[in-house]
């Protein structure tokens, strides 16, 4: 069977062409891709670093409909609308035995190590499929991956929207970076009953800092341009002082952002580093001392939890989307046809105009 897709044949050599789909193997399904989001990590992967081998079809944020399976026993999946967990675990290493699949030592990955969703069809292990609630559309489903990553980062702080006894409301939390992940993190914090959130970003025309209360947090997410709370930005100057925050999520991932986080965190505070670094990370000696003397909890987060349980990150995202508690589509600033992926990549690469999530769809 032949299909059309975006085949990366070398660094900065992405070609929209017809390719031959290999035969399905046991435990696999063929997904008719209906929507796919461009992740910030797709930009260096396509234009700078390349994937793990060539040719590869990029794209790991996508959703679609199952149109075929290998074996008859899996035929119940045919016709189902699905989201896709892109990490394919080995299921043999120690983290896999503990169902911590996001930390698999020998994983594969749709869109970087094997063909992903920037194509008409994608071959996906049935284990990686999550059936969509009836009221969750393909656009929302294609954003489940960043939403689950954001939730995983928030949970690394010990916060959880499922917690029946949320932490005290006077916690002050800083979100550094307002891309898609940072924006969704801010919303999860609101759903965790955190009322005092400061968010910093670089996309705002009227300044790059905002103060968000719980109500403003919701309006912030509902506004793709992040403009609803700018009037309160004047308060931020007094807020961003050393030792100001109980918790910080760093979605910028540069040496400067990490140093800022260590300066701004309170003694015994918690910092989560979110996302891929943009280069080598170096700390000044006096900043490193702050880790020691403040006894800071500095932790990382990687991917998201997915183990077919109602409380894993993906199933919580699906549940909150179905209930209308999580708003993801307002973060979509551009919608394009599949044939326009190249244009979408250039928008995200050049950043000439404001953009957050660029979505391609059938």
């Amino acid at each position: 069977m032949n299909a059309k897709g975006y085949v990366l044949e070398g660094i900065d050599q992405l070609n929209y062409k017809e390719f031959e789909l290999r035969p399905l193997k046991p435990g696999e399904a063929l997904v008719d891709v209906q929507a796919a989001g461009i992740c910030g990590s797709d930009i260096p992967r396509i234009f700078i670093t390349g994937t793990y081998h060539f040719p590869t079809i990029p794209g790991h944020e996508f959703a679609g409909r199952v149109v075929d399976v290998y074996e008859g026993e899996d035929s119940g999946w045919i016709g189902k609308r699905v989201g896709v967990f892109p990490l394919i675990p080995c299921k043999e290493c120690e983290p896999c035995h503990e169902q911590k699949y996001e930390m698999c030592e020998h994983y594969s990955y749709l869109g970087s190590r094997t063909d992903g969703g920037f194509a008409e069809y994608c071959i996906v292990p049935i284990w990686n499929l999550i059936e969509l609630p009836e009221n969750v559309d393909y656009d929302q489903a294609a954003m489940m991956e960043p939403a689950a990553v954001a939730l995983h980062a928030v949970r690394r702080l010990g916060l959880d929207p499922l917690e029946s006894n949320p932490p005290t409301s006077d916690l002050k939390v800083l979100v550094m970076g307002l891309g898609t992940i940072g924006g969704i993190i801010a919303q999860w914090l609101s759903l965790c009953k955190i009322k005092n959130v400061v968010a910093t970003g670089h996309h705002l025309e009227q300044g790059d800092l905002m103060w968000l209360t719980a109500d403003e947090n919701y309006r912030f997410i509902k506004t793709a341009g992040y403009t609803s709370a700018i009037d309160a930005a004047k308060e931020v100057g007094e807020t961003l002082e050393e030792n100001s925050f109980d918790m910080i999520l760093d979605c910028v991932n540069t040496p400067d952002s990490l140093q800022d986080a260590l300066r701004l965190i309170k003694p015994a505070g918690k910092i989560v580093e979110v996302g891929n670094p943009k280069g080598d990370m170096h700390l000044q000696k006096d900043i490193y001392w702050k880790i020691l003397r403040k006894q800071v909890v500095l932790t990382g987060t990687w991917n998201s939890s997915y183990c077919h349980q109602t409380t894993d990150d993906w199933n919580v995202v699906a549940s909150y989307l179905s209930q209308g508690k999580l708003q993801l589509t307002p973060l979509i600033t551009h919608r394009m046809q599949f044939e326009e992926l190249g244009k979408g990549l250039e928008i995200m690469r050049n950043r000439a105009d404001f953009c957050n999530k660029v979505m391609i769809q059938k």
Side-chain angles (χ1 to χ4, degrees):
M1 175 179 174
N2 290 341
K4 286 186 176 181
Y6 288 88
V7 182
L8 188 65
E9 298 177 298
I11 294 175
D12 200 9
Q13 297 178 34
L14 187 68
N15 298 307
Y16 186 56
K17 60 189 291 186
E18 192 171 275
F19 69 99
E20 184 177 358
L21 280 162
R22 63 168 176 80
L24 293 175
K25 297 176 182 178
E28 290 183 337
L30 184 65
V31 175
D32 181 349
V33 180
Q34 296 294 312
I38 301 175
C39 176
S41 66
D42 288 324
I43 304 305
R45 185 174 293 121
I46 291 171
F47 296 107
I48 301 172
T49 62
T51 48
Y52 286 83
H53 60 82
F54 301 113
T56 308
I57 296 174
H60 61 272
E61 300 179 6
F62 65 98
R65 181 174 57 87
V66 176
V67 294
D68 196 11
V69 296
Y70 175 81
E71 296 172 320
E73 65 187 47
D74 294 322
S75 61
W77 280 96
I78 295 178
K80 287 187 176 181
R81 301 163 58 255
V82 293
V84 179
F85 177 60
L87 188 150
I88 304 173
C90 72
K91 300 183 182 176
E92 296 180 357
C93 65
E94 184 175 347
C96 283
H97 287 160
E98 296 176 355
Q99 293 191 321
K100 298 176 181 178
Y101 299 110
E102 72 276 14
M103 292 188 286
C104 173
E105 296 172 358
H106 310 290
Y107 67 90
S108 185
Y109 208 87
L110 296 168
S112 59
R113 300 177 185 229
T114 190
D115 289 343
F118 289 164
E120 290 180 302
Y121 299 94
C122 183
I123 295 173
V124 179
I126 287 174
W127 185 88
N128 290 68
L129 301 177
I130 180 168
E131 185 174 0
L132 300 178
E134 291 184 2
N135 61 339
V136 174
D137 61 28
Y138 288 120
D139 277 4
Q140 292 173 304
M143 294 190 68
M144 289 177 70
E145 197 275 341
V149 168
L151 175 58
H152 197 67
V154 169
R155 282 174 151 178
R156 293 289 292 156
L157 287 171
L159 305 175
D160 197 325
L162 302 180
E163 179 61 53
S164 57
N165 296 308
T168 56
S169 59
D170 60 350
L171 281 177
K172 191 174 291 185
V173 183
L174 174 65
V175 182
M176 303 172 68
L178 287 176
T180 301
I181 299 294
I184 302 174
I185 281 174
Q187 190 173 174
W188 280 123
L189 291 171
S190 180
L191 292 168
C192 290
K193 308 296 190 299
I194 303 299
K195 298 184 182 302
N196 299 318
V197 178
V198 173
T200 68
H202 58 276
H203 296 309
L204 302 175
E205 295 180 0
Q206 301 180 42
D208 63 352
L209 303 176
M210 292 186 299
W211 171 258
L212 304 175
T213 65
D215 290 339
E216 288 168 337
N217 201 339
Y218 179 76
R219 290 188 289 118
F220 156 77
I221 294 299
K222 293 278 286 185
T223 306
Y226 306 141
T227 57
S228 63
I230 287 179
D231 289 342
K234 65 189 73 168
E235 300 179 31
V236 175
E238 300 177 358
T239 305
L240 293 183
E241 297 175 353
E242 188 161 351
N243 303 331
S244 292
F245 297 96
D246 300 282
M247 299 176 176
I248 297 176
L249 298 106
D250 176 15
C251 305
V252 179
N253 314 117
T254 64
D256 285 345
S257 66
L258 176 54
Q259 292 188 154
D260 284 344
L262 289 168
R263 179 177 58 84
L264 295 169
I265 196 70
K266 289 181 179 179
K270 297 180 180 180
I271 298 172
V272 177
E273 287 296 303
V274 186
N276 301 322
K278 296 174 175 61
D280 292 339
M281 303 290 282
H282 301 282
L283 290 178
Q284 298 174 9
K285 183 178 179 180
D286 63 326
I287 297 294
Y288 180 84
W289 272 112
K290 295 182 184 300
I291 299 176
L292 307 181
R293 292 178 175 174
K294 291 185 181 183
Q295 298 190 164
V296 171
V297 177
L298 178 62
T299 186
T301 182
W302 182 248
N303 215 277
S304 53
S305 67
Y306 178 78
C307 55
H308 297 273
Q309 296 179 3
T310 57
T311 56
D312 73 35
D313 295 330
W314 279 72
N315 278 284
V316 172
V317 169
S319 175
Y320 273 62
L321 284 174
S322 180
Q323 297 175 63
K325 295 180 179 179
L326 187 65
Q327 305 294 323
L328 299 180
T329 51
L331 292 173
I332 302 174
T333 55
H334 297 75
R335 287 181 171 85
M336 301 177 177
Q337 295 300 306
F338 256 72
E339 296 78 7
E340 299 179 288
L341 175 68
K343 179 180 177 182
L345 290 169
E346 287 301 321
I347 288 173
M348 289 196 63
R349 184 185 187 187
N350 298 327
R351 298 283 181 176
D353 300 318
F354 171 79
C355 67
N356 194 295
K357 180 57 63 181
V358 177
M359 185 74 62
I360 60 172
Q361 52 196 182
K362 287 185 177 175

